[in-house]
Amino acid sequence: MRLKVLILAVLYTFLLSYANPLREEIESLTKDQSVDVGIYVESLATKSFKFALKDKQPFIPASNQKILTTASAIINLTPDYRFKTQILTDGFVKDGVLKGNLYLKGGADPSLSYEDLKSFADYLKQIGILKIEGDIIGDNSFFLEEGRGHGWPEKDFEYCFTAPFSALSLNENCLRLELISDKKRVSVKMYPDNEYYEIVNNLAISKKYSDYKVKAEGRKIYLTGYIKPLSKAEVSIPVKNPSLHTTSAFYKMMKESGIKITGKYHLGKTPPNANTIITHKSQPLKEIIKKANKDSNNFYAEQIFRTLGKEILGKGDTETSATVVINTLKKVGIDVSNIRIYDGSGLSKFNQLTPESIAKILSYMYNTPYFFDFYQSLAVAGTDGTLKHRFKDVKGKIYAKTGYIKGVKNLSGYILSDNGEVYVFSILVNNLKSTEIANKIQESVCLILANGKTQL
């Protein structure tokens, strides 16, 4: 027994001697810097190494929040879960005429595209529907709310990375405008085309420069300024009222495909006795989360987040979805006392996670049958996603999720070390004046781990 205690004591001394270079490196980098750093590192294969610094302290996670969102989705919904979008009717077809309303029922698919709507219209024609004597009704009831999260940066609401979430969405709820000029005038095209927005085109030709502004007010989009002759430009803006916008795009698509519609488009709830005509399924969740994690797509993360609440507890809203994530963390043995969840993407400045909680959920995923599906969703150092241009000296050895909002830059994931070990890590840096110090800390720690400097 004494021998066992002695061996453990010696091993602990060795571990400290190898952890100290990490601590010394971090302390030297953060000295005289008004930054807050939290770190948790642990070896997964051998459990022989662990390093922690403020690991139980709450930090703003930024897009590291997506780790909890996507891991919880894989755990609760399975990697093969698919989002559904349905076309239904409360009427009947006679002599090529649908006598009744047509419903476009959303199921929170973050990948639903204009091409999908076109395929719906084509199928309706194929089965003989040439006229609809009724309305086109969008059903967004899968979620209880639509819009943006609490604590999102309002100054960025004009950009598509803050596009509002909705159970019935199209093209990530981002409208692309194409500006094309000849020698005399400028034309504007919308993608996806729709009847929701009206373009007010006050653009003029200038041989000297291009300088223009785009502003959406209500259902009108105002374009002012100048474009050079014989040129092309693009600008994208987040849509307002995404469910109604999606419904209007479907309405216009069907009319342009040759289907006559006597009614109008609006939102409503599908009656329980409606008959299903089309059920469209997305790619499986294991593919969907790649967009959320590798590319740090906020819209995808928010759609996944609220789907958790709907599918697991019956309500597609923020509070219920946060409860599902918290319950998931509790089930895998993670302390949630310092955790606060206000969204699924990490855009909210009110979110709080600890380095330990992030590392622990990553560690849990490592020991599940669906680890490979989750692991493949993360950005790869020097290869793809948000890490394509980082850590090129250890290319392919780091699989991680980045996180950045003003004053925050974080990194968490897995490291494949030269010593044959697999490390899980979370490095959270808050209260930044510039990102340089965060980059140095993350690179120093990750390079030490990737190069096997902790090997006993």
Side-chain angles (χ1 to χ4, degrees), residues 40-84:
Y40 188 101
V41 178
E42 187 175 8
S43 57
L44 293 178
T46 64
K47 298 293 182 182
S48 62
F49 181 84
K50 181 179 176 180
F51 175 86
L53 176 69
K54 297 183 181 178
D55 59 308
K56 299 182 188 299
Q57 178 178 310
F59 288 80
I60 299 172
S63 283
N64 273 207
Q65 185 80 28
K66 294 181 175 75
I67 291 174
L68 270 65
T69 299
T70 55
S72 297
I74 287 288
I75 292 168
N76 289 282
L77 302 176
T78 80
D80 296 319
Y81 176 88
R82 294 173 186 262
F83 297 87
K84 296 178 182 178

Side-chain angles (χ1 to χ4, degrees), residues 99-120:
K99 298 180 180 293
N101 299 313
L102 195 71
Y103 295 85
L104 176 62
K105 187 175 183 179
D109 184 358
S111 62
L112 192 71
S113 68
Y114 193 63
E115 289 69 28
D116 293 326
L117 295 190
K118 188 176 186 309
S119 71
F120 299 165

Side-chain angles (χ1 to χ4, degrees), residues 363-379:
S363 179
Y364 175 83
M365 296 300 290
Y366 180 76
N367 294 297
T368 64
Y370 32 77
F371 168 68
F372 189 68
D373 293 324
F374 179 76
Y375 178 73
Q376 281 198 317
S377 76
L378 300 171

